[in-house]
Amino acid sequence: MTAAEPVRLRCPDCHRDHRYTSPGYPCPCGAPVAVPLLGAAEPAVLHRRVWDEEWVTVRCAACGEENDWPRPEVGCPCGTLLRPAVRTADTPPEELDGPPPAAAARPDPAERVPEPRSGDRVRPVFRPAPIRTARDAVEAAARYLVWLGFRDVVPQVVHQPEPRSGIPAGPRLPAGTDLRGRGVVAQVEPSTLRTTLRDVECLWLNGLTAAATPVYFALAGYTDEALARADDLGIPLFTVDLAGEPQPVNGPARGLAAAGAS
């Protein structure tokens, strides 16, 4: 599979429609590879991550080599994480039938983010990288903050909590790692547990102490209480899929993604 077609996904919780295109990854041969999706199938809701289920094997149409790539995910603004159905060699033929729903898909107005600008210059497109370890998640958030316009962004370990279930840590990098830069303090949660109200409030206090903009990045999404509190406090919340692409999930995040660092 070397090209991806957009599909329409409907969130079962808020019934918002999403138009999604599977991202392309670079095969070792240099050709782009995209995970093929089943547009006619309903997406699943991701409640808990299981590392062995986070990857899907795709054959490159150019060289025939098979590699494992992150299984696609879509973060709905309501806080639900959607997992589109993936087409594999074992997919029954009857599931491949049906008109492609992408043609009629219309992005929800809440999802439309104006073209990001920094000053009078249009920012280049953000280039994600697949997340395979907790360190990759932190690096993805750091690169995104730099892309937004924040400067001198570096990770700092602020505490040593009890281990939480999640993706392999890789080189030692515990949960509780935040990112500090000029005018920004960000928390990155790479575990399989949803971020809670307490987590959001702790970040808000860190932002007040540092006189900086607080930003949260989470792989597993947020509880309803955390989403409501973040809206009250004006904290931008992002989810990060395993493709390494941060997605805004509330109004402050969409505003930050559109305007960039002030």
Side-chain angles (χ1 to χ4, degrees):
M1 181 76 177
T2 58
E5 296 182 356
V7 297
R8 187 181 69 180
L9 307 173
R10 171 159 292 184
C11 176
D13 290 342
C14 69
H15 307 294
R16 183 181 276 110
D17 284 339
H18 301 267
R19 186 182 177 90
Y20 178 76
T21 302
S22 183
Y25 300 101
C27 176
C29 75
V33 178
V35 176
L37 305 178
L38 282 174
E42 292 294 327
V45 174
L46 182 59
H47 297 288
R48 179 181 177 86
R49 292 188 184 278
V50 178
W51 183 248
D52 291 340
E53 299 176 359
E54 300 296 325
W55 307 93
V56 59
T57 302
V58 181
R59 182 187 299 274
C60 175
C63 68
E65 182 175 345
E66 291 186 345
N67 286 288
D68 291 335
W69 301 106
R71 188 177 291 272
E73 296 172 4
V74 179
C76 181
C78 75
T80 302
L81 279 177
L82 306 176
R83 176 165 282 172
V86 174
R87 176 158 51 86
T88 68
D90 298 327
T91 302
E94 59 271 17
E95 294 187 15
L96 300 176
D97 296 332
R106 294 184 179 180
D108 186 90
E111 293 183 77
R112 288 198 285 268
V113 176
E115 189 172 18
R117 292 179 177 270
S118 180
D120 293 328
R121 300 181 60 186
V122 177
R123 295 200 305 273
V125 175
F126 179 73
R127 302 294 183 184
I131 292 176
R132 299 178 186 274
T133 67
R135 182 176 294 275
D136 292 340
V138 174
E139 291 177 351
R143 290 192 302 105
Y144 189 76
L145 290 173
V146 171
W147 177 78
L148 287 174
F150 294 104
R151 301 177 61 186
D152 301 330
V153 178
V154 295
Q156 293 184 350
V157 178
V158 294
H159 63 281
Q160 296 281 347
E162 292 297 319
R164 301 174 73 181
S165 61
I167 64 178
R172 180 60 180 166
L173 185 65
T177 299
D178 70 1
L179 295 165
R180 303 286 178 122
R182 295 188 187 181
V184 67
V185 55
Q187 187 78 18
V188 183
E189 180 51 72
S191 80
T192 59
L193 302 178
R194 290 199 295 170
T195 295
T196 66
L197 180 149
R198 181 178 181 276
D199 297 327
V200 168
E201 290 184 335
C202 286
L203 174 64
W204 176 67
L205 291 174
N206 285 338
L208 285 180
T209 302
T213 300
V215 185
Y216 217 113
F217 297 90
L219 265 69
Y222 304 85
T223 64
D224 292 341
E225 294 80 5
L227 286 167
R229 188 59 171 152
D231 286 342
D232 292 340
L233 298 174
I235 299 177
L237 302 182
F238 292 85
T239 56
V240 184
D241 59 26
L242 290 183
E245 181 79 44
Q247 298 289 340
V249 297
N250 66 349
R254 287 188 288 272
L256 179 60
S262 58

